Short mmCIF file of all heavy atoms in Angstrom, two decimals:
data_model
loop_
_atom_site.label_atom_id
_atom_site.label_comp_id
_atom_site.label_asym_id
_atom_site.label_seq_id
_atom_site.Cartn_x
_atom_site.Cartn_y
_atom_site.Cartn_z
N PRO T 1 15.39 26.24 7.34
CA PRO T 1 16.11 26.72 8.52
C PRO T 1 15.12 27.16 9.60
O PRO T 1 14.07 27.72 9.30
CB PRO T 1 16.92 27.90 7.99
CG PRO T 1 16.30 28.28 6.70
CD PRO T 1 15.58 27.09 6.17
N ARG T 2 15.44 26.86 10.84
CA ARG T 2 14.57 27.21 11.96
C ARG T 2 15.38 27.99 12.99
O ARG T 2 16.59 27.91 13.03
CB ARG T 2 14.00 25.94 12.58
CG ARG T 2 13.14 25.19 11.55
CD ARG T 2 12.66 23.90 12.08
NE ARG T 2 11.63 24.12 13.08
CZ ARG T 2 11.10 23.17 13.81
NH1 ARG T 2 11.48 21.93 13.65
NH2 ARG T 2 10.19 23.43 14.70
N ARG T 3 14.68 28.74 13.80
CA ARG T 3 15.35 29.53 14.84
C ARG T 3 15.59 28.69 16.09
O ARG T 3 14.74 27.93 16.51
CB ARG T 3 14.49 30.72 15.23
CG ARG T 3 14.41 31.73 14.15
CD ARG T 3 13.69 32.94 14.68
NE ARG T 3 12.65 33.28 13.72
CZ ARG T 3 11.66 34.09 13.94
NH1 ARG T 3 11.53 34.65 15.12
NH2 ARG T 3 10.79 34.35 13.03
N GLY T 4 16.73 28.88 16.66
CA GLY T 4 17.03 28.23 17.93
C GLY T 4 17.38 26.76 17.78
O GLY T 4 17.33 26.19 16.70
N PRO T 5 17.72 26.13 18.89
CA PRO T 5 18.06 24.70 18.86
C PRO T 5 16.78 23.85 18.71
O PRO T 5 15.86 23.96 19.51
CB PRO T 5 18.73 24.46 20.20
CG PRO T 5 18.22 25.54 21.09
CD PRO T 5 17.89 26.71 20.21
N VAL T 6 16.72 23.07 17.67
CA VAL T 6 15.57 22.20 17.44
C VAL T 6 16.05 20.83 17.01
O VAL T 6 17.16 20.67 16.50
CB VAL T 6 14.64 22.77 16.34
CG1 VAL T 6 14.01 24.08 16.77
CG2 VAL T 6 15.39 22.98 15.04
N ALA T 7 15.21 19.86 17.22
CA ALA T 7 15.52 18.49 16.78
C ALA T 7 15.45 18.42 15.27
O ALA T 7 14.76 19.20 14.62
CB ALA T 7 14.53 17.51 17.40
N VAL T 8 16.16 17.47 14.70
CA VAL T 8 16.15 17.27 13.26
C VAL T 8 14.75 16.84 12.80
O VAL T 8 14.28 17.21 11.74
CB VAL T 8 17.20 16.21 12.85
CG1 VAL T 8 17.13 15.89 11.38
CG2 VAL T 8 18.58 16.68 13.24
N ALA T 9 14.10 16.04 13.61
CA ALA T 9 12.77 15.53 13.28
C ALA T 9 12.00 15.33 14.59
O ALA T 9 12.59 15.19 15.65
CB ALA T 9 12.89 14.21 12.54
N PRO T 10 10.68 15.31 14.51
CA PRO T 10 9.91 15.01 15.72
C PRO T 10 10.20 13.59 16.18
O PRO T 10 10.34 12.69 15.35
CB PRO T 10 8.46 15.15 15.28
CG PRO T 10 8.46 15.54 13.86
CD PRO T 10 9.86 15.57 13.36
N GLN T 11 10.34 13.41 17.45
CA GLN T 11 10.62 12.09 18.01
C GLN T 11 9.68 11.82 19.17
O GLN T 11 9.37 12.71 19.94
CB GLN T 11 12.06 12.04 18.54
CG GLN T 11 13.11 12.22 17.47
CD GLN T 11 13.54 10.90 16.89
OE1 GLN T 11 13.57 9.89 17.58
NE2 GLN T 11 13.87 10.90 15.63
N LEU T 12 9.25 10.60 19.30
CA LEU T 12 8.47 10.18 20.46
C LEU T 12 9.43 9.50 21.43
O LEU T 12 10.35 8.80 21.02
CB LEU T 12 7.40 9.17 20.06
CG LEU T 12 6.23 9.68 19.24
CD1 LEU T 12 5.33 8.52 18.84
CD2 LEU T 12 5.44 10.70 20.01
N ALA T 13 9.18 9.70 22.70
CA ALA T 13 9.95 8.99 23.72
C ALA T 13 9.68 7.49 23.57
O ALA T 13 8.64 7.09 23.03
CB ALA T 13 9.55 9.46 25.11
N ALA T 14 10.61 6.67 24.02
CA ALA T 14 10.48 5.21 23.86
C ALA T 14 9.18 4.68 24.45
O ALA T 14 8.50 3.84 23.85
CB ALA T 14 11.67 4.50 24.48
N VAL T 15 8.79 5.19 25.61
CA VAL T 15 7.55 4.74 26.25
C VAL T 15 6.34 5.14 25.42
O VAL T 15 5.44 4.34 25.18
CB VAL T 15 7.45 5.32 27.68
CG1 VAL T 15 6.11 5.02 28.30
CG2 VAL T 15 8.57 4.80 28.55
N ASP T 16 6.33 6.39 24.94
CA ASP T 16 5.21 6.85 24.12
C ASP T 16 5.14 6.09 22.80
O ASP T 16 4.06 5.78 22.30
CB ASP T 16 5.35 8.35 23.83
CG ASP T 16 5.21 9.20 25.08
OD1 ASP T 16 4.54 8.74 26.04
OD2 ASP T 16 5.76 10.31 25.10
N ARG T 17 6.29 5.77 22.24
CA ARG T 17 6.33 5.01 20.98
C ARG T 17 5.76 3.61 21.20
O ARG T 17 4.99 3.10 20.38
CB ARG T 17 7.77 4.95 20.46
CG ARG T 17 7.89 4.46 19.07
CD ARG T 17 9.29 4.63 18.46
NE ARG T 17 10.40 4.44 19.36
CZ ARG T 17 11.21 5.42 19.78
NH1 ARG T 17 11.03 6.65 19.39
NH2 ARG T 17 12.21 5.15 20.60
N ALA T 18 6.09 2.98 22.32
CA ALA T 18 5.58 1.64 22.62
C ALA T 18 4.06 1.68 22.79
O ALA T 18 3.35 0.81 22.28
CB ALA T 18 6.25 1.09 23.87
N VAL T 19 3.56 2.68 23.49
CA VAL T 19 2.11 2.82 23.67
C VAL T 19 1.43 3.05 22.33
O VAL T 19 0.38 2.46 22.04
CB VAL T 19 1.79 3.98 24.65
CG1 VAL T 19 0.32 4.32 24.65
CG2 VAL T 19 2.27 3.64 26.04
N PHE T 20 2.02 3.89 21.50
CA PHE T 20 1.46 4.16 20.17
C PHE T 20 1.34 2.88 19.36
O PHE T 20 0.28 2.59 18.79
CB PHE T 20 2.32 5.18 19.43
CG PHE T 20 1.92 5.37 17.99
CD1 PHE T 20 0.84 6.16 17.67
CD2 PHE T 20 2.62 4.73 16.98
CE1 PHE T 20 0.45 6.32 16.34
CE2 PHE T 20 2.25 4.89 15.65
CZ PHE T 20 1.16 5.69 15.34
N PHE T 21 2.41 2.10 19.29
CA PHE T 21 2.38 0.90 18.47
C PHE T 21 1.48 -0.18 19.08
O PHE T 21 0.86 -0.95 18.34
CB PHE T 21 3.80 0.37 18.21
CG PHE T 21 4.52 1.16 17.16
CD1 PHE T 21 5.67 1.86 17.46
CD2 PHE T 21 4.04 1.23 15.86
CE1 PHE T 21 6.34 2.61 16.48
CE2 PHE T 21 4.69 1.96 14.88
CZ PHE T 21 5.84 2.65 15.20
N ASP T 22 1.38 -0.24 20.40
CA ASP T 22 0.42 -1.17 21.02
C ASP T 22 -1.01 -0.81 20.62
O ASP T 22 -1.81 -1.68 20.27
CB ASP T 22 0.56 -1.15 22.54
CG ASP T 22 1.78 -1.90 23.03
OD1 ASP T 22 2.35 -2.69 22.26
OD2 ASP T 22 2.17 -1.68 24.20
N HIS T 23 -1.32 0.47 20.67
CA HIS T 23 -2.65 0.93 20.28
C HIS T 23 -2.89 0.67 18.79
O HIS T 23 -3.98 0.27 18.38
CB HIS T 23 -2.81 2.42 20.61
CG HIS T 23 -4.16 2.95 20.30
ND1 HIS T 23 -5.29 2.59 21.00
CD2 HIS T 23 -4.58 3.80 19.33
CE1 HIS T 23 -6.34 3.20 20.50
NE2 HIS T 23 -5.93 3.94 19.47
N LEU T 24 -1.86 0.89 18.00
CA LEU T 24 -1.97 0.66 16.56
C LEU T 24 -2.24 -0.81 16.25
O LEU T 24 -3.04 -1.13 15.36
CB LEU T 24 -0.70 1.13 15.85
CG LEU T 24 -0.73 1.15 14.34
CD1 LEU T 24 -1.80 2.10 13.82
CD2 LEU T 24 0.63 1.57 13.80
N ARG T 25 -1.61 -1.71 16.99
CA ARG T 25 -1.88 -3.15 16.80
C ARG T 25 -3.33 -3.47 17.11
O ARG T 25 -3.97 -4.23 16.38
CB ARG T 25 -0.98 -3.98 17.70
CG ARG T 25 0.36 -4.23 17.10
CD ARG T 25 1.12 -5.29 17.88
NE ARG T 25 2.52 -5.04 17.67
CZ ARG T 25 3.39 -4.75 18.62
NH1 ARG T 25 3.02 -4.73 19.88
NH2 ARG T 25 4.64 -4.51 18.33
N GLY T 26 -3.85 -2.88 18.18
CA GLY T 26 -5.26 -3.09 18.52
C GLY T 26 -6.19 -2.57 17.44
O GLY T 26 -7.19 -3.21 17.10
N THR T 27 -5.85 -1.42 16.88
CA THR T 27 -6.65 -0.85 15.79
C THR T 27 -6.61 -1.75 14.57
O THR T 27 -7.63 -1.98 13.91
CB THR T 27 -6.12 0.55 15.43
OG1 THR T 27 -6.20 1.39 16.59
CG2 THR T 27 -6.91 1.17 14.30
N THR T 28 -5.44 -2.29 14.26
CA THR T 28 -5.29 -3.18 13.11
C THR T 28 -6.15 -4.42 13.28
O THR T 28 -6.85 -4.84 12.36
CB THR T 28 -3.81 -3.58 12.93
OG1 THR T 28 -3.02 -2.40 12.83
CG2 THR T 28 -3.61 -4.41 11.68
N GLU T 29 -6.12 -5.00 14.47
CA GLU T 29 -6.90 -6.21 14.72
C GLU T 29 -8.39 -5.91 14.71
O GLU T 29 -9.19 -6.71 14.20
CB GLU T 29 -6.47 -6.83 16.04
CG GLU T 29 -5.07 -7.40 15.99
CD GLU T 29 -4.54 -7.81 17.35
OE1 GLU T 29 -5.30 -7.75 18.35
OE2 GLU T 29 -3.36 -8.17 17.42
N ALA T 30 -8.81 -4.76 15.24
CA ALA T 30 -10.23 -4.39 15.23
C ALA T 30 -10.72 -4.15 13.81
O ALA T 30 -11.87 -4.46 13.49
CB ALA T 30 -10.44 -3.15 16.09
N ALA T 31 -9.88 -3.60 12.96
CA ALA T 31 -10.28 -3.32 11.58
C ALA T 31 -10.58 -4.60 10.81
O ALA T 31 -11.47 -4.61 9.95
CB ALA T 31 -9.19 -2.52 10.86
N THR T 32 -9.89 -5.68 11.13
CA THR T 32 -10.15 -6.93 10.42
C THR T 32 -11.52 -7.49 10.77
O THR T 32 -12.11 -8.21 9.96
CB THR T 32 -9.08 -8.00 10.74
OG1 THR T 32 -9.08 -8.26 12.14
CG2 THR T 32 -7.71 -7.55 10.29
N ARG T 33 -12.05 -7.14 11.93
CA ARG T 33 -13.37 -7.62 12.35
C ARG T 33 -14.51 -6.78 11.76
O ARG T 33 -15.66 -7.11 11.93
CB ARG T 33 -13.46 -7.64 13.86
CG ARG T 33 -12.52 -8.65 14.51
CD ARG T 33 -12.77 -8.79 15.99
NE ARG T 33 -12.45 -7.60 16.73
CZ ARG T 33 -11.28 -7.33 17.31
NH1 ARG T 33 -10.31 -8.21 17.23
NH2 ARG T 33 -11.08 -6.22 17.98
N GLN T 34 -14.18 -5.69 11.07
CA GLN T 34 -15.21 -4.81 10.51
C GLN T 34 -15.61 -5.21 9.09
O GLN T 34 -16.41 -4.53 8.46
CB GLN T 34 -14.72 -3.37 10.50
CG GLN T 34 -14.55 -2.79 11.87
CD GLN T 34 -14.04 -1.36 11.83
OE1 GLN T 34 -13.87 -0.77 10.78
NE2 GLN T 34 -13.78 -0.80 13.00
N GLY T 35 -15.05 -6.28 8.58
CA GLY T 35 -15.39 -6.73 7.24
C GLY T 35 -14.87 -5.77 6.19
O GLY T 35 -13.80 -5.18 6.33
N GLU T 36 -15.66 -5.57 5.13
CA GLU T 36 -15.22 -4.72 4.03
C GLU T 36 -15.05 -3.27 4.46
O GLU T 36 -14.25 -2.54 3.88
CB GLU T 36 -16.20 -4.80 2.87
CG GLU T 36 -16.09 -6.10 2.09
CD GLU T 36 -16.93 -6.08 0.84
OE1 GLU T 36 -17.05 -5.00 0.22
OE2 GLU T 36 -17.46 -7.13 0.50
N GLY T 37 -15.80 -2.83 5.46
CA GLY T 37 -15.69 -1.44 5.93
C GLY T 37 -14.36 -1.13 6.60
O GLY T 37 -13.97 0.03 6.71
N GLY T 38 -13.64 -2.14 7.03
CA GLY T 38 -12.37 -1.92 7.72
C GLY T 38 -11.15 -2.20 6.88
O GLY T 38 -10.03 -2.13 7.39
N VAL T 39 -11.33 -2.50 5.60
CA VAL T 39 -10.20 -2.87 4.75
C VAL T 39 -9.19 -1.74 4.63
O VAL T 39 -7.97 -1.95 4.80
CB VAL T 39 -10.68 -3.32 3.35
CG1 VAL T 39 -9.51 -3.50 2.40
CG2 VAL T 39 -11.47 -4.60 3.46
N LEU T 40 -9.65 -0.53 4.36
CA LEU T 40 -8.73 0.60 4.20
C LEU T 40 -8.02 0.92 5.51
O LEU T 40 -6.81 1.14 5.53
CB LEU T 40 -9.47 1.83 3.68
CG LEU T 40 -8.60 3.07 3.44
CD1 LEU T 40 -7.49 2.77 2.43
CD2 LEU T 40 -9.46 4.22 2.95
N LEU T 41 -8.78 0.93 6.62
CA LEU T 41 -8.16 1.18 7.93
C LEU T 41 -7.11 0.12 8.23
O LEU T 41 -6.01 0.44 8.70
CB LEU T 41 -9.21 1.21 9.03
CG LEU T 41 -8.69 1.35 10.45
CD1 LEU T 41 -7.91 2.66 10.63
CD2 LEU T 41 -9.84 1.28 11.45
N HIS T 42 -7.42 -1.12 7.95
CA HIS T 42 -6.48 -2.22 8.19
C HIS T 42 -5.20 -2.02 7.38
O HIS T 42 -4.09 -2.15 7.91
CB HIS T 42 -7.13 -3.55 7.83
CG HIS T 42 -6.28 -4.73 8.10
ND1 HIS T 42 -5.66 -5.44 7.09
CD2 HIS T 42 -5.92 -5.34 9.26
CE1 HIS T 42 -4.96 -6.43 7.61
NE2 HIS T 42 -5.10 -6.39 8.93
N ARG T 43 -5.35 -1.65 6.13
CA ARG T 43 -4.19 -1.45 5.27
C ARG T 43 -3.33 -0.29 5.75
O ARG T 43 -2.10 -0.37 5.79
CB ARG T 43 -4.69 -1.19 3.84
CG ARG T 43 -3.61 -1.04 2.84
CD ARG T 43 -4.21 -0.87 1.48
NE ARG T 43 -3.16 -0.64 0.50
CZ ARG T 43 -3.38 -0.37 -0.75
NH1 ARG T 43 -4.61 -0.32 -1.20
NH2 ARG T 43 -2.39 -0.17 -1.56
N GLN T 44 -3.97 0.82 6.12
CA GLN T 44 -3.23 1.98 6.59
C GLN T 44 -2.53 1.69 7.92
O GLN T 44 -1.38 2.09 8.13
CB GLN T 44 -4.16 3.18 6.74
CG GLN T 44 -4.64 3.69 5.41
CD GLN T 44 -5.71 4.76 5.55
OE1 GLN T 44 -6.42 4.80 6.55
NE2 GLN T 44 -5.84 5.60 4.54
N ALA T 45 -3.20 0.98 8.81
CA ALA T 45 -2.60 0.64 10.10
C ALA T 45 -1.42 -0.30 9.92
O ALA T 45 -0.40 -0.16 10.61
CB ALA T 45 -3.65 0.03 11.03
N LEU T 46 -1.52 -1.24 9.00
CA LEU T 46 -0.39 -2.13 8.73
C LEU T 46 0.81 -1.36 8.19
O LEU T 46 1.95 -1.65 8.55
CB LEU T 46 -0.78 -3.23 7.74
CG LEU T 46 -1.60 -4.38 8.30
CD1 LEU T 46 -1.99 -5.33 7.18
CD2 LEU T 46 -0.85 -5.11 9.39
N TYR T 47 0.55 -0.38 7.34
CA TYR T 47 1.65 0.43 6.81
C TYR T 47 2.36 1.15 7.96
O TYR T 47 3.60 1.13 8.04
CB TYR T 47 1.12 1.43 5.79
CG TYR T 47 2.18 2.43 5.38
CD1 TYR T 47 3.20 2.06 4.51
CD2 TYR T 47 2.18 3.72 5.89
CE1 TYR T 47 4.18 2.96 4.15
CE2 TYR T 47 3.16 4.63 5.53
CZ TYR T 47 4.16 4.25 4.66
OH TYR T 47 5.13 5.14 4.32
N LEU T 48 1.60 1.79 8.83
CA LEU T 48 2.23 2.50 9.96
C LEU T 48 2.93 1.53 10.90
O LEU T 48 3.99 1.85 11.45
CB LEU T 48 1.18 3.31 10.72
CG LEU T 48 0.64 4.52 9.99
CD1 LEU T 48 -0.50 5.15 10.79
CD2 LEU T 48 1.74 5.54 9.73
#
């Protein structure tokens, strides 16, 4: 329970969400170019 009117969950505005996922796609693609050092980052970015 929380005090006052609050959202059920944190939400990003549609514009912010689009920017986030665009940046995440770039991170995913950059991780594939890092060879073995980027495998974990690539996997985590794909999950998100």
Side-chain angles (χ1 to χ4, degrees):
R2 298 175 72 186
R3 290 187 230 166
V6 295
V8 175
Q11 296 269 327
L12 290 175
V15 173
D16 294 334
R17 192 169 37 249
V19 169
F20 172 79
F21 283 117
D22 284 343
H23 182 70
L24 188 61
R25 276 191 206 119
T27 301
T28 305
E29 291 170 6
T32 60
R33 294 188 294 267
Q34 293 179 4
E36 286 188 35
V39 171
L40 181 58
L41 175 61
H42 183 254
R43 183 177 176 184
Q44 291 172 335
L46 282 176
Y47 171 76
L48 289 174

